[in-house]
C-alpha cells in the first residue's frame, strides 16, 4: 500500500462487516502490529476494487 510505504498488508474481519487493515513489522526481538485503517465492508470493497 503505497500511501503508508509498507511491503505487507493484512486484513482482519471485524463484527458487523467491518474490516481492519494492518501491517506487521519488527525484528527478532520485537514484533509490532501497525493498525492502518478500519472501515465498513462497502468502503473496503471500493478501496480494494472488489
Amino acid at each position: 500500500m503505497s500511501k503508508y510505504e509498507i511491503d505487507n498488508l493484512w486484513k482482519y474481519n471485524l463484527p458487523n462487516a467491518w474490516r481492519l487493515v494492518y501491517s506487521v513489522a519488527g525484528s527478532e526481538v520485537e514484533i509490532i502490529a501497525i493498525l492502518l485503517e478500519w472501515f465498513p465492508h462497502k468502503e473496503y470493497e471500493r478501496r480494494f476494487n472488489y
Side-chain angles (χ1 to χ4, degrees), residues 18-50:
W18 280 71
R19 303 294 187 262
L20 171 69
V21 177
Y22 67 98
S23 181
V24 178
S27 65
E28 293 180 20
V29 178
E30 64 183 359
I31 298 172
I32 301 168
I34 305 161
L35 304 179
L36 301 173
E37 296 182 76
W38 59 92
F39 29 70
H41 184 66
K42 290 263 187 210
E43 187 177 333
Y44 171 83
E45 287 180 330
R46 274 182 269 154
R47 176 74 54 90
F48 293 100
N49 298 316
Y50 285 109

